[in-house]
Amino acid sequence: MKILINNMSNYFKAALLLGTITLVSCEKRLDIAPTASIADNLALNTEGDVLVTLIGAYDGAQSAAAYGGDIMVLNDLIGNSTNINFTGTFAGLSDAYQTQMVSDNGFARDTWAACYNTINRCNNVLTAVAKVTSSTAKKNSVEGEALMLRASMYFELVRLYAKFVGDGDYATNPGVPLVLTPTGNVTDANYPARATVKAVYDQVIADLVKAETLLPNSNGNYVSKWAAAAQLSRVYLMVKDYANARDAANRVITGSGKSLAANFGSNWFTFINNAGGTPGEYLFSLKVTAQDGTNSQNTYFGRNVGIAGTAGRSDCKIRLTHINAYETGDFRKGYFTLSGGNYYTNKHLDRFGDVAIIRLAEMFLTRAECNQRLGTIIGATPLADINRIRNRVGLTSLLTVSLADITKERSFELAFEGHTLIEAKRLQTTVGTLAWNDAKLILPIPRRETDVNKNLVQNAGY
């Protein structure tokens, strides 16, 4: 099912105005006339209305500009000439790759809009969740799902469009606008200023903590308790709350019932080799099918390599510098395909492969790092966790482990899954020739937003 939004004069208005919800039933064009628009005072009167709007929130998160892949592509591409040779023709991505973005960069604009569209859909659900009366369990799940999706969108926005934690005072640095109620009619009150980075993180954490308590252990293709806990672990790691990051990761490892796939490669080619089934190691992912969904990681990192079902623009070629950095015998060192004289990661060759947002392997890496930093042994020793990751890809066990060993293992395990820029900022390492906190590594607040909302302060350099 697709849920679409009326085209507005600026994207921030569009994000806020989902109170006037536009529904198109399962892309059946003949249904557009009778069901194209539902007034905001009628839209959420029944449980069914709320459930449809929740599907719309998932659809928003799934859009190409959000978790359909662009968020991950931007995080891997910005300034990353060390590992990627980008040869694409989209100016917005080329500018990101060369860290020469301008305030009207199309990808920065569209990701902002997609995230706020999704946030407002979530706000509509949360305002009307009392209409879900079929069961307490269903009501709790709906509320938890909306909180999880809203928190995830704000988490991505504050990491992309604001200074990172550790770069100045995050209690005063401008983050992104916090909009926590739906808006049906735009007034001056709907042009909010940027909340502080800390305020955004505090809201994200509050949403995720509550979502974890509300969501069921399993939830089909939708987010579960363990997806919320995994996202919470990731958030705590970003704000350097290592104890809570460790504990959340440990809850997922010990409580989710999931285990690492025996074969690293089985985490991808999910449509080609797994009939569209979601790999068991995935904690948070979005489905992509021939009927609906987008995987823009495939669009930009993928290539038709002569295997039925592979596709892509061949824009992101992987440099030998990256491949040669893996240890000899590492299965991941060979998880690239040579085609047309260039190498491509096998992770994104499948046209309809699910978009993996969080895998269980990340939780082991997070638990290991936090235990190492804190000198604790919660769940397992750091050495045991890292050797679990290494042994899975054919590497021998380490006898001792350092923080550098753990972060290095993390970079190889999660390569080209949307972590490169964020990890550089978190660990305060360089991005190409730029310092981790260089203003060029922060996305611009879209110009169409600052033109309309005079309360928005632009980021430095734009």
Side-chain angles (χ1 to χ4, degrees), residues 132-211:
V132 180
T133 58
S134 58
S135 71
T136 299
K138 184 64 175 177
K139 176 179 177 292
N140 287 346
S141 182
V142 168
E143 183 177 4
E145 289 172 65
L147 287 168
M148 165 66 176
L149 292 175
R150 182 173 76 176
S152 296
M153 294 295 98
Y154 271 124
F155 182 43
E156 302 302 342
L157 285 166
V158 77
R159 293 197 298 175
L160 284 170
Y161 294 88
K163 288 185 176 182
F164 218 72
V165 174
D167 182 7
D169 185 356
Y170 89 135
T172 58
N173 284 340
V176 296
L178 272 176
V179 182
L180 303 177
T181 57
T183 304
N185 298 295
V186 173
T187 67
D188 289 344
N190 304 128
Y191 294 112
R194 298 170 67 175
T196 66
V197 172
K198 183 179 186 301
V200 177
Y201 270 110
D202 286 349
Q203 185 64 51
V204 167
I205 290 169
D207 281 359
L208 290 174
V209 167
K210 187 174 183 181

Side-chain angles (χ1 to χ4, degrees), residues 239-350:
V239 298
K240 305 184 187 303
D241 185 347
Y242 299 119
N244 274 318
R246 173 203 62 198
D247 293 348
N250 189 58
R251 288 198 300 275
V252 175
I253 293 167
T254 59
S256 68
K258 292 183 176 290
S259 58
L260 293 179
N263 178 3
F264 174 85
S266 66
N267 285 304
W268 292 277
F269 281 86
T270 55
F271 189 82
I272 295 172
N273 293 336
N274 200 32
T278 302
E281 191 174 314
Y282 286 15
L283 294 163
F284 181 21
S285 62
L286 291 174
K287 298 297 295 182
V288 179
T289 70
Q291 289 75 40
D292 193 18
T294 302
N295 185 342
S296 63
Q297 288 174 297
N298 166 259
T299 300
Y300 303 113
F301 279 89
R303 178 179 172 86
N304 185 333
V305 295
I307 300 172
T310 60
R313 289 174 48 88
S314 314
D315 288 345
C316 295
K317 300 161 175 63
I318 310 306
R319 294 189 187 276
L320 275 173
T321 304
H322 174 82
I323 297 172
N324 290 338
Y326 293 82
E327 293 179 48
T328 300
D330 189 336
F331 177 86
R332 297 168 304 194
K333 185 183 183 76
Y335 206 62
F336 299 90
T337 291
L338 178 63
S339 178
N342 296 289
Y343 286 93
Y344 301 88
T345 175
N346 287 0
K347 289 182 176 180
H348 307 307
L349 294 180
D350 190 343

Side-chain angles (χ1 to χ4, degrees), residues 394-413:
L395 293 175
T396 58
S397 295
L398 298 175
L399 299 179
T400 61
V401 70
S402 66
L403 184 60
D405 294 327
I406 295 169
T407 56
K408 179 181 178 181
E409 199 64 45
R410 187 182 183 96
S411 70
F412 290 143
E413 177 69 23

